[in-house]
Structures are given as structure tokens and as C-alpha cells.
């Protein structure tokens, strides 16, 4: 049994968003392989789910400033500087590590400054360093910051780019979630990048839950969009659907599950045709696992209005696993090329092509998946997608151990 | 006659609610129904739509004829601003009057507040109506019959439902779409204009977004939409494209322009007789901001200041929204005192007399879906000086001269020329009287009927 230390910028006590779910599944995979895992998480405690190894990133610390200025949407970046630069934080975090880890895995590049300092100062010298990338972060952050008109966007993106390159150089094992990310990160690495795609947890089909939800959902076949309040989910929605939902018939509602829903009706791009849009939209909000499963089971089409982001999307994997019609943009299927030929999986460019395809799919009969497709869908489960990660880390530990001997 | 033998169901909800002389949209519905009744077509039925219960009900030919007669009789002769029996209309009228006395900024705020409260009042009212309906239904069950005035109807598959009234007020288009999907009937609707979406600043409160919603649902429900001009068709298609709404078919229909009563010109009412005593020019239109009475007032005031001898300018039309300041100017401006006259609720007979005796007509509207008064003016052999906006050049062709509606000096200059050259006006009038042929309402009605018949015989996707 080896000790695996995981550093992350969020809690996984109650996994809600993509990053938290991935972290939680990574922990389960290592544990299933017989390793002991400690997850050490640094984030603002305003967030939910405080775990025993969760540390607060204080709101009033000057480390939050970027070059002396207050810049929104970069808490993740500044938290790494705080972890490595603030002496008290550094000492607390270092003390919190239980024993001597054999593996230090960093989820996303943000906390790499802490690992870099450990390495400089000879702390945990023999540990295998794993960089677990979720995206190529610099271009993604650049797009978000530009969207919000942040003047320092380019400089911040350059800093993130440097951090990602440093993570690749420092790590013994580099993980990526898509083939395209593998290519990008591979150019910065000494060794091949391991593909450990995002996966999903199978969800049940509970008739009682579905019956309870049927009354709250539209009577007509409905499209479902599941997403968090992550800004690209909001911008993607409007890039794909535009400012009017009039393309949907009067008796059809686009159902929105997750915290993204609360941000749609109030968005400026929704306002021009608000009464029309509200008549075609049903915001379901954040629901529990059982509710999420029931609504997914009752949807006719699952839509993936994703237009940016380099990673592979968990929502895409869930949609592909659902056995429903799936309609996504080319970006939303990045990392899932193997599934594009499955019946019921449709790709359309954002805007008119997407809207017209959705209208067509709403008229189509429900999907009846064939056996080979069901098999292919099984490969979307976490236990399959994260297997290369466990095996690559084990292999590195083994080779190191052989080398020492 | 069973419902199954009815091929065309003509909705007369607007007419059945109407309590004033027929103008604009109501005139189209009125003229269509008059023609249908005269033709005695056996496969045509009449119906209304009840928004609170989301159901259609049958209207007998006798009920419709009685209502048409009632509308025909309302006007100057009865001198009634608001029918005393309609308390809702009365209340609305009184509220509008009261708001009109407030300072403009406050008036707008009060109006907007009332608009916001309106849905709640509507819910309360609908609740009462539903409760009353249930009570009445229970009573009917006891008595063993359904009142004839409210006989529900269901349209047979393949039949055509034709609606051309004030549907944004009286219809729930999403419900009609649902009923159509369930029962397989077809829908023929009208688009007069999309002005509330294009020019919300000229309409009451912020109705733009509500109208966009209405047009989207209308297009979803419609198998065919009849537009009253190329301009309105173009505007509608552009809006639907922007909204991403598919449009099955949009055709142009030609509105009529003849309003001469069947028995020829009648003796005018005393009110109109007084107007005829002096030379006058005529502007027939609801008095609201979009119609741009303002430009005429300013041109008149300017000419009066220059000492130009002015014929009386007669505004014929109901008072609408956003003109309280204009009314105040007309009341207080000494330059136009006695030069501009307002006539409300003028019936067709009096209107015909006014057209007949006017020197010429004016129509400076900022935007129109069609411009019926321009056609009517020509039908009466009267030259019209009109705005060049939207559909108006389609109506007036080469018979009419056009000006930019905002160009007050241009209007003043042209009016001065026309006043100074009555022989020029007379020659134009004579030529129009001699050569212009008004499109008869009966042709419009036949055109609508044929469109509906064609729709009935088309198979799905062939609209």
C-alpha cells in the first residue's frame, strides 16, 4: 500500500461540480487499487463541504491581489501563491500531510507552487509527482477574463501558461483528460502524457422518483441542459441558442438543471425577448442525485451547449451514457470521438444549425440503444477511464523502486 | 347543422366585444363577416374564444348580425363615448382620463404600475369567472341544458380556423397551438403590423416583448399568415427569423378601401354638419403618438404665425395613448385656436360625408402596416398628402404625394402650396375620382375566403 497525497482547490465532501466529481472518483480509484489517500484542499470556506483536511483560503489576505490589484475570477491562481508564499499557510499545509507520501498528485496546476517549494526545500524528496490536468487552463482563463472585460487578462493567462509548463516539467506523471490536451501538454513534458478521461458514475432508474418528477416536468418531449454556474456554461448557452428560444414550439420547454439555471433568466442576453424566452424555459435548479437521475431518465434530448474549454466534459460522458438523444457542439465532444458514430449522438455547430437539429430531434422517437452501444457506453464509467492513471502511477512507483534497488 | 359540416370557422371574438364604430382591424373582421353573411355560405361557421376557460364557443349568424347592426349604429349620432353597459370599458376609459390629468412623468409611472398590476387583477377576475362558470354549469346540469350563447365547439380535423381580430388581447396562442396539435385543424391568422416590436417607444408601456412572444406563438400555430402589405410581411418574416421561429406560409392580402354606405351618402349628423360649414382638410386616424398629429399641429402653428389663411384641420378618431401634451397644446396654443377640430366616434355615414366634403386629406403617420385612410381618401376621390413611411407608398401609389413624417417645415411648405393652389388640388381630386378604382371590401373578403379554402384543401406541408 502506498500513500497518495492529493492537492486540490476544492472540497470533495459533497462533490457537485466537474472538478469535485473527478477528484472524488480519483480518490476512489486509488483506494480501490489498495492505496491510502489523503486529499488536502485549499479554498474559500464560503464554499460547501468542509472536510477534515480542507483549509481556508482567507478572503482578507493580500495574497489574493494580483500585482497589487484586486482581480476577480483568479482565486485558483492566487491560492497557489498563497500556499507557497505565506509562511503560516505553508507551515500549516506541510504539517497537515500525514506521514511521508509516496505520491503527490496535484489536481489542476494551481497548487503547484507549493509542490515546487517542497521540492526546492527537500520536503518529501522521494515522492512521485503527478500533474493531473483538467484542461489547458491558460486559454480557457483568457477567454473567461476577456468575456468579463478584465484588462489584465493577457498577463494573467501568460502566468498560468508558465505555471502549466512548470507543472509538466516538474511532474513524473502527467495526466490529461482528452487527446487534444495530451498533445498540448506532451510538448512541455519529458515523458508521454497519460490519457485519463473524465468518466461518470452510473445512475439508477428509480420508477418512484421518475413518477414524482413527471408531474413537475413538461408533458411534451423536452431537451435537458445540465450545468453548473461556471461562466463558460452561461456563455455557451447563449452562443448556441442565441437570444431567443422562439425556435421551440409553444408547448415545449428547455429544462435546465444545476446552478447555471439561476443565471439564465437574469442574463442581459435573455432580456430582449424575455416573455417569449421564459415561456420556453423551465429552470429546475440544483437537485439531489435522485432527482438528477430521474430528470435525466425522463429527458428526450440531452443538449451540450459547450463552446469553450479544452478538457473533456463530464456532462458529455453522462449524456452519452444516458441512452437519450444527445446533441452537442464539436467542442462538447472533444475527447469522445469514439462515441460520435453511436446512434442518437448528433453534432451541430452553435446557432441556427444547433437549434434546427434540436427541433428535429424533438420530433424523433425515443432512442432504443442496441447492445454494442450499451457496451461502448460502459467504457464511460470512471472505473474504466481512470484505470490508466492508476496503472501509470503504479508503474512509475515500481520503476523507481527497481531503480533504488 | 353539425360541426363536422363546417369547413371554415371564423372567429368573431373581437367583433362580439366591440362597442365602438368599426375602425382598422375591426373593420377588416366586420367587412369579412358582412360578406360571409351576405353570401350565406353553408360551410362557414362563426365562433368566439374564451381566454379564461381556453375554449371555443359557437356564435350564431343571428347573434353576429345583431352585433354587426349594433356596431353600425354606434357613432356620432348616438353621441356616446363609452357604452354604459360595459363597466370594464367604462373603468378603463375613466382610468385613462384620470391618468391624463396627471403630470406626464407621474402619469407614465401610474400607468406602468397599473400595467404591472393588471395580470394580478386578471387572475382575480379569471378566478371569479371560473367560479361563476362552475356555478352556472352546475345549475345548467340541474336544468338539463347548455345556454345557446355559450355552446362549446370543437373543430373537425382538416377544418380551418380563421382569426383576424385583436388576438393579442383575446387569444392564448399557445393554447390554440396545443388544441390544433391535438385535433388536427388548420389555422389562418392575420398580421397587420409588428409596430409594437419595431417601435415600442410609440406604444403604451413596454409591450414590445409581449408582442414578440405573441407573434412567435402565432407563427407556430399558423398554417398560413395573411399580411396586409408587403411591408408588414417583410417586417414579420424578419422578426420571425430573428426569433428563430419557423413560418409555414405568409401571403399578402389586399384590403378594401370603399366605405360608402349601401344607400349612398346620408344626411350628416348635427356635429358633422357644423364642420361642413367651413372649408376643411381631414386626417382620419386614432389620435396617438404613432399617427404623428404632432407634425400637422406644428406645421399649422408655423403657418398660422406666418399669417397664412388656413382651412380647418379636422382630426377624426378615438383618443389613444401619449397625446395628452398634444391635446394640451391644441387647447392652449392661440395660433391654432379654432383651426384644429377633434371628432371622436364618427360612424361610417358621417365619415363618408366628411371625406366627400374635405378639400383633401393628410396622413403623416410614422409607421403603418397598411394605411386604410389613404385608400379611403382615394376611394372618395380625394388627394392625400401622406408620410413616406413603411407601407404607405404601397397604398397610395402615384396618386399621393409623400413627405418625411418628421419634416415639419416640409409639411408646412407643401400645405401652404396646396392652400394657395385650390385649382391644383381640384385637378388632382378630379383625376383621382375619374381614374382611381378602390379595391372593394367584397373582393378582400373573397380573397380571404379563397385563401382559407385553399388552406383547407392543402395537405400538410403544402401551405
Amino acid at each position: 500500500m502506498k500513500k497518495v497525497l492529493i492537492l486540490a482547490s476544492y472540497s470533495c465532501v459533497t462533490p457537485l461540480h466537474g472538478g469535485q466529481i473527478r477528484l472524488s472518483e480519483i480518490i476512489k480509484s486509488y483506494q480501490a487499487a489498495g492505496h491510502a489517500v489523503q486529499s488536502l484542499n485549499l479554498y474559500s470556506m464560503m464554499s460547501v463541504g468542509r472536510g477534515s483536511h480542507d483549509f481556508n483560503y482567507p478572503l482578507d489576505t493580500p495574497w489574493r491581489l494580483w500585482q497589487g490589484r484586486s482581480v476577480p475570477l483568479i482565486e485558483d491562481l492566487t491560492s497557489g501563491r498563497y500556499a507557497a508564499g505565506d509562511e503560516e499557510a505553508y507551515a500549516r499545509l506541510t504539517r497537515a500531510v500525514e506521514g511521508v507520501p509516496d505520491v503527490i498528485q496535484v489536481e489542476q496546476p494551481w497548487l503547484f507552487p507549493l509542490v515546487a517549494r517542497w521540492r526546492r526545500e527537500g520536503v518529501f524528496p522521494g515522492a512521485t509527482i503527478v500533474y493531473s490536468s483538467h484542461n489547458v487552463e491558460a486559454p480557457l482563463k483568457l477567454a473567461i477574463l476577456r468575456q468579463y472585460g478584465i484588462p489584465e487578462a493577457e498577463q494573467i493567462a501568460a502566468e498560468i501558461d508558465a505555471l502549466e509548463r512548470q507543472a509538466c516539467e516538474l511532474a513524473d506523471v502527467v495526466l490529461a483528460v482528452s487527446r487534444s490536451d495530451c498533445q498540448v501538454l506532451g510538448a512541455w513534458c519529458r515523458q508521454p502524457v497519460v490519457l485519463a478521461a473524465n468518466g461518470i458514475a452510473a445512475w439508477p432508474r428509480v420508477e418512484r422518483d421518475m413518477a414524482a418528477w413527471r408531474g413537475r416536468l413538461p408533458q411534451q418531449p423536452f431537451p435537458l441542459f445540465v450545468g453548473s454556474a461556471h461562466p463558460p456554461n452561461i456563455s455557451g448557452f447563449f452562443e448556441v441558442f442565441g437570444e431567443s428560444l422562439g425556435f421551440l414550439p409553444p408547448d415545449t420547454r428547455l429544462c435546465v438543471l444545476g446552478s447555471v439555471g439561476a443565471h439564465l433568466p437574469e442574463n442581459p442576453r435573455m432580456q430582449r425577448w424575455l416573455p417569449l424566452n421564459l415561456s420556453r424555459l423551465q429552470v429546475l435548479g440544483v437537485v439531489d442525485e435522485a432527482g438528477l437521475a430521474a430528470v435525466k431518465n425522463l429527458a428526450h434530448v440531452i443538449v451540450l451547449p459547450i463552446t469553450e474549454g479544452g478538457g473533456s466534459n463530464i456532462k458529455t460522458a453522462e449524456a452519452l451514457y444516458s441512452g437519450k438523444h444527445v446533441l452537442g457542439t464539436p467542442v462538447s465532444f472533444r475527447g469522445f470521438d469514439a462515441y460520435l458514430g453511436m446512434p442518437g449522438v448528433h453534432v451541430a455547430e452553435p446557432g441556427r444549425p444547433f437549434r434546427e437539429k434540436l427541433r428535429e430531434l424533438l420530433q424523433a422517437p425515443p432512442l432504443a440503444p442496441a447492445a454494442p452501444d450499451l457496451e461502448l457506453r460502459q467504457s464511460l464509467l470512471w472505473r474504466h477511464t481512470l484505470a490508466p492513471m492508476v496503472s501509470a502511477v503504479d508503474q512509475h512507483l515500481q520503476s523507481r523502486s527497481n531503480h533504488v534497488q | 347543422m353539425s360541426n363536422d359540416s363546417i369547413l371554415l370557422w371564423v372567429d368573431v371574438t373581437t367583433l362580439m366585444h366591440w362597442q365602438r364604430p368599426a375602425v382598422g382591424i375591426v373593420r377588416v373582421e366586420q367587412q369579412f363577416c358582412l360578406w360571409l353573411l351576405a353570401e350565406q355560405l353553408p360551410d362557414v361557421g362563426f365562433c368566439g374564444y374564451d381566454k379564461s376557460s381556453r375554449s371555443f364557443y359557437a356564435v350564431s349568424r343571428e347573434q353576429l348580425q345583431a352585433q354587426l347592426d349594433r356596431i353600425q349604429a354606434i357613432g356620432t349620432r348616438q353621441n356616446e363615448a363609452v357604452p354604459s353597459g360595459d363597466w370594464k370599458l367604462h373603468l378603463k376609459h375613466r382610468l385613462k382620463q384620470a391618468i391624463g390629468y396627471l403630470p406626464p412623468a407621474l402619469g407614465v409611472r401610474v400607468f406602468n404600475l397599473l400595467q404591472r398590476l393588471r395580470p394580478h387583477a386578471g387572475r382575480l377576475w379569471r378566478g371569479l369567472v371560473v367560479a361563476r362558470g362552475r356555478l352556472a354549469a352546475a345549475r345548467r346540469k340541474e336544468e338539463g341544458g347548455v345556454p345557446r350563447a355559450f355552446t362549446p365547439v370543437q373543430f373537425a380535423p382538416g377544418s380551418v380556423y380563421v382569426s383576424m381580430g385583436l388576438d393579442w388581447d383575446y387569444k392564448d396562442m399557445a393554447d390554440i397551438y396545443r388544441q390544433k396539435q391535438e385535433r388536427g385543424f388548420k389555422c389562418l391568422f392575420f398580421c397587420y403590423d409588428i409596430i409594437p416590436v419595431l417601435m415600442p417607444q410609440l406604444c403604451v408601456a413596454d409591450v414590445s416583448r409581449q408582442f414578440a412572444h405573441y407573434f412567435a406563438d402565432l407563427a407556430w400555430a399558423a398554417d398560413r399568415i395573411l399580411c396586409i402589405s408587403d411591408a408588414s410581411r417583410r417586417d414579420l418574416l424578419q422578426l420571425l427569423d430573428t426569433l428563430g421561429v419557423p413560418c409555414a406560409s405568409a401571403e399578402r392580402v389586399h384590403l378594401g378601401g370603399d366605405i360608402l354606405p349601401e344607400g349612398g351618402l346620408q344626411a350628416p349628423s348635427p356635429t358633422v354638419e357644423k364642420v361642413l360649414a367651413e372649408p376643411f382638410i381631414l386626417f382620419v386616424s386614432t389620435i396617438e403618438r404613432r399617427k404623428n398629429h404632432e407634425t400637422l399641429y406644428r406645421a399649422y402653428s408655423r403657418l398660422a404665425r406666418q399669417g397664412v389663411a388656413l382651412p380647418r384641420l379636422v382630426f377624426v378618431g378615438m383618443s389613444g395613448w401619449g397625446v395628452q401634451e398634444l391635446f394640451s397644446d391644441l387647447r392652449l396654443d392661440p395660433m391654432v385656436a379654432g383651426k384644429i377640430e377633434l371628432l371622436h366616434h364618427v360612424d361610417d355615414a358621417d365619415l363618408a360625408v366628411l371625406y366627400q366634403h374635405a378639400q383633401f386629406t393628410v396622413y403623416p403617420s410614422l409607421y403603418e402596416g397598411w394605411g386604410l385612410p389613404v385608400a379611403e381618401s382615394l376611394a372618395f376621390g380625394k388627394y392625400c398628402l401622406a408620410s413616406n413611411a413603411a407601407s404607405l407608398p404601397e397604398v397610395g401609389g402615384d396618386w399621393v404625394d409623400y413627405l418625411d413624417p418628421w419634416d415639419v417645415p416640409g409639411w408646412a411648405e407643401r400645405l401652404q402650396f396646396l392652400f394657395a393652389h385650390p385649382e391644383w388640388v381640384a385637378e388632382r381630386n378630379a383625376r383621382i375620382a375619374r381614374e382611381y378604382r378602390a379595391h372593394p371590401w367584397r373582393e378582400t373578403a373573397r380573397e380571404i375566403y379563397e385563401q382559407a379554402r385553399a388552406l383547407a384543401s392543402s395537405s400538410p406541408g403544402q401551405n
Side-chain angles (χ1 to χ4, degrees):
Chain A
M1 184 177 74
K2 300 290 183 186
K3 285 184 180 168
V4 179
L5 171 69
I6 299 178
L7 302 177
S9 305
Y10 27 78
S11 170
C12 63
V13 176
T14 312
L16 289 174
H17 66 64
Q20 291 171 332
I21 293 168
R22 183 174 170 87
L23 171 59
S24 160
E25 294 296 334
I26 283 172
I27 293 170
K28 282 187 214 162
S29 292
Y30 279 124
Q31 285 170 339
H35 301 313
V37 183
Q38 181 193 2
S39 175
L40 202 151
N41 312 310
L42 177 68
Y43 59 94
S44 294
M45 284 295 183
M46 289 184 301
S47 316
V48 290
R50 186 193 296 233
S52 56
H53 293 102
D54 289 3
F55 287 84
N56 185 30
Y57 177 28
L59 289 173
D60 55 355
T61 173
W63 290 96
R64 281 184 177 268
L65 299 177
W66 188 85
Q67 295 190 354
R69 294 193 292 276
S70 174
V71 178
L73 302 166
I74 56 164
E75 179 181 293
D76 39 19
L77 175 64
T78 59
S79 70
R81 294 210 232 161
Y82 165 76
D86 185 279
E87 290 307 322
E88 197 192 322
Y90 175 76
R92 269 195 306 133
L93 288 163
T94 309
R95 270 200 311 273
V97 178
E98 293 164 350
V100 179
D102 300 294
V103 177
I104 300 173
Q105 176 160 327
V106 188
E107 296 302 316
Q108 300 184 270
W110 314 123
L111 292 176
F112 247 94
L114 175 62
V115 178
R117 182 166 173 189
W118 281 341
R119 194 46 43 117
R120 273 198 312 275
E121 297 182 0
V123 180
F124 315 129
T128 293
I129 307 294
V130 181
Y131 170 35
S132 171
S133 129
H134 294 198
N135 285 297
V136 179
E137 302 288 353
L140 181 62
K141 186 69 88 179
L142 180 63
I144 295 172
L145 295 178
R146 273 187 181 156
Q147 192 184 327
Y148 284 83
I150 309 295
E152 300 88 352
E154 273 76 12
Q155 291 162 273
I156 290 169
E159 189 176 315
I160 295 171
D161 182 75
L163 181 61
E164 289 182 285
R165 286 168 191 263
Q166 185 199 18
C168 286
E169 278 170 31
L170 202 63
D172 302 299
V173 177
V174 176
L175 309 174
V177 295
S178 70
R179 290 193 192 285
S180 59
D181 282 10
C182 282
Q183 278 183 342
V184 176
L185 300 179
W188 305 336
C189 291
R190 294 174 267 130
Q191 69 288 61
V193 177
V194 177
L195 175 64
N198 283 324
I200 51 158
W203 63 87
R205 192 179 166 86
V206 181
E207 285 302 330
R208 195 190 50 204
D209 291 342
M210 287 166 64
W213 272 93
R214 247 182 217 109
R216 292 173 59 183
L217 293 169
Q219 299 301 304
Q220 297 295 321
F222 65 90
L224 175 66
F225 169 38
V226 185
S228 68
H230 189 43
N233 287 340
I234 300 166
S235 58
F237 179 91
F238 289 105
E239 275 177 56
V240 165
F241 294 118
E243 296 189 355
S244 161
L245 297 178
F247 68 95
L248 293 170
D251 59 352
T252 300
R253 304 282 177 275
L254 169 57
C255 290
V256 182
L257 247 177
S259 51
V260 67
H263 296 264
L264 299 177
E266 68 192 27
N267 190 286
R269 297 189 68 183
M270 194 64 114
Q271 303 310 310
R272 177 74 184 95
W273 314 114
L274 190 66
L276 170 62
N277 290 337
L278 293 183
S279 76
R280 307 295 204 268
L281 190 70
Q282 190 167 341
V283 175
L284 303 171
V286 178
V287 303
D288 60 14
E289 284 296 314
L292 182 64
V295 176
K296 281 192 288 196
N297 289 333
L298 290 167
H300 184 75
V301 186
I302 297 183
V303 292
L304 301 164
I306 300 167
T307 53
E308 57 186 287
S312 75
N313 204 298
I314 289 177
K315 296 288 173 279
T316 304
E318 286 181 342
L320 291 168
Y321 185 78
S322 70
K324 305 289 175 177
H325 290 285
V326 180
L327 176 59
T329 61
V331 174
S332 57
F333 289 113
R334 202 142 58 184
F336 295 97
D337 303 323
Y339 303 86
L340 284 177
M342 278 200 315
V345 178
H346 308 272
V347 191
E349 292 291 338
R352 193 183 290 262
F354 196 99
R355 297 192 292 263
E356 283 175 2
K357 190 69 195 174
L358 176 54
R359 210 156 56 201
E360 183 191 316
L361 289 176
L362 287 167
Q363 303 293 321
L367 209 59
D373 301 327
L374 290 172
E375 219 166 275
L376 188 57
R377 287 194 168 106
Q378 293 293 313
S379 66
L380 291 160
L381 297 175
W382 283 109
R383 64 171 184 271
H384 291 286
T385 60
L386 292 181
M389 172 194 77
V390 178
S391 131
V393 170
D394 281 349
Q395 222 170 341
H396 189 270
L397 288 169
Q398 186 61 46
S399 67
R400 177 164 286 186
S401 140
N402 293 343
H403 185 70
V404 170
Q405 283 163 11
Chain B
M1 185 184 297
S2 79
N3 287 348
D4 289 349
S5 62
I6 301 295
L7 187 65
L8 305 184
W9 282 101
V10 178
D11 190 296
V12 292
T13 312
T14 301
L15 274 177
M16 298 308 282
H17 282 82
W18 198 250
Q19 304 285 353
R20 285 169 278 177
V23 292
I25 292 169
V26 184
R27 184 178 292 285
V28 181
E29 194 170 302
Q30 173 206 40
Q31 294 293 331
F32 186 46
C33 289
L34 285 170
W35 183 81
L36 288 172
L37 289 173
E39 293 290 313
Q40 296 188 324
L41 299 161
D43 56 357
V44 174
F46 298 94
C47 65
Y49 179 79
D50 179 46
K51 205 172 175 179
S52 60
S53 63
R54 292 176 172 171
S55 57
F56 294 100
Y57 56 90
V59 175
S60 70
R61 286 169 188 243
E62 295 73 30
Q63 285 171 317
L64 176 61
Q65 188 63 61
Q67 176 65 2
L68 287 166
D69 293 344
R70 201 173 301 131
I71 290 170
Q72 198 67 32
I74 298 167
T76 358
R77 285 144 221 267
Q78 290 187 345
N79 194 27
E80 58 178 4
V82 174
S84 55
D86 190 336
W87 68 268
K88 273 204 288 184
L89 202 63
H90 198 79
L91 178 65
K92 195 171 160 185
H93 183 76
R94 289 284 173 225
L95 277 171
K96 273 168 84 175
Q97 268 186 340
I99 292 168
Y101 288 117
L102 297 172
L106 181 61
V108 168
R109 282 213 295 276
V110 170
F111 186 86
N112 287 338
L113 177 69
L114 289 172
Q115 284 290 315
R116 279 203 299 276
L117 292 175
R118 205 171 155 187
H120 305 296
R123 266 205 296 278
L124 179 64
W125 172 249
R126 280 194 294 278
L128 288 170
V129 167
V130 169
R132 195 181 61 170
R134 282 182 185 155
L135 201 65
R139 206 175 293 145
R140 282 199 301 273
K141 208 172 171 186
E142 279 171 19
E143 291 165 5
V146 177
R148 206 173 151 206
F150 211 87
T151 309
V153 285
Q154 291 205 345
F155 309 144
S159 61
V160 176
Y161 168 65
V162 182
S163 187
M164 58 182 67
L166 303 166
D167 288 353
W168 47 90
D169 271 345
Y170 294 120
K171 308 288 161 59
D172 177 344
M173 281 294 167
D175 170 60
I176 292 174
Y177 172 82
R178 274 188 292 272
Q179 293 203 34
K180 180 194 148 170
Q181 296 296 106
E182 279 169 24
R183 295 181 198 154
F185 59 87
K186 299 173 184 175
C187 291
L188 178 69
F189 291 135
F190 263 64
C191 169
Y192 293 92
D193 60 67
I194 62 158
I195 291 165
V197 183
L198 286 181
M199 302 184 140
Q201 74 277 17
L202 300 178
C203 300
V204 180
D206 180 14
V207 292
S208 167
R209 299 186 299 180
Q210 272 74 20
F211 267 86
H213 184 188
Y214 161 76
F215 283 117
D217 286 353
L218 174 135
W220 269 105
D223 294 277
R224 186 169 297 177
I225 301 172
L226 297 183
C227 302
I228 59 168
S229 65
D230 290 334
S232 65
R233 182 175 178 276
R234 197 169 49 240
D235 289 345
L236 175 70
L237 292 178
Q238 200 170 339
L239 173 67
L240 295 178
D241 186 61
T242 303
L243 297 176
V245 179
C247 181
S249 157
E251 303 289 336
R252 153 94 194 264
V253 70
H254 297 80
L255 294 189
D258 54 333
I259 60 160
L260 192 60
E262 271 179 18
L265 284 179
Q266 297 172 17
S269 66
T271 313
V272 168
E273 197 163 16
K274 266 192 273 175
V275 175
L276 303 183
E278 289 180 38
F280 68 96
I281 66 170
L282 188 63
F283 181 16
V284 179
S285 156
T286 310
I287 302 170
E288 62 178 74
R289 281 187 65 207
R290 175 169 61 87
K291 301 296 185 174
N292 196 24
H293 293 71
E294 187 78 21
T295 285
L296 287 178
Y297 153 64
R298 286 169 189 260
Y300 249 58
S301 185
R302 178 182 285 242
L303 291 172
R305 255 196 317 277
Q306 292 168 6
V308 175
L310 298 170
R312 189 167 289 185
L313 169 58
V314 178
F315 292 159
V316 173
M318 294 183 300
S319 157
W321 169 254
V323 285
Q324 291 308 321
E325 284 171 347
L326 173 71
F327 285 154
S328 170
D329 286 351
L330 294 179
R331 203 169 53 246
L332 299 174
D333 185 348
M335 284 291 131
V336 297
K339 298 289 181 196
I340 299 179
E341 183 155 353
L342 280 70
L343 291 179
H344 306 298
H345 306 304
V346 171
D347 67 12
D348 283 358
D350 268 346
L351 188 57
V353 173
L354 285 166
Y355 271 125
Q356 197 73 26
H357 288 84
Q359 290 184 330
F360 60 91
T361 68
V362 279
Y363 205 75
S365 176
L366 299 176
Y367 208 91
E368 289 294 321
W370 175 239
L372 209 47
V374 175
E376 288 175 351
S377 173
L378 296 173
F380 278 97
K382 294 295 168 174
Y383 165 78
C384 179
L385 181 60
S387 144
N388 61 7
S391 59
L392 290 171
E394 284 182 58
V395 185
D398 294 337
W399 306 98
V400 168
D401 287 328
Y402 304 97
L403 290 171
D404 183 322
W406 293 114
D407 180 12
V408 174
W411 281 83
E413 190 184 326
R414 190 67 192 160
L415 285 171
Q416 188 175 3
F417 168 82
L418 295 172
F419 298 151
H421 298 87
E423 74 292 347
W424 188 94
V425 174
E427 193 278 322
R428 289 294 288 264
N429 286 346
R431 207 185 107 216
I432 292 165
R434 205 168 50 242
E435 297 175 19
Y436 178 81
R437 290 290 163 264
H439 191 72
W441 274 109
R442 65 174 180 283
E443 288 304 318
T444 305
R446 189 186 305 280
E447 202 181 335
I448 298 168
Y449 175 72
E450 280 167 7
Q451 288 276 5
R453 291 293 306 225
L455 184 58
S457 55
S458 71
S459 48
Q462 283 189 329
N463 304 329

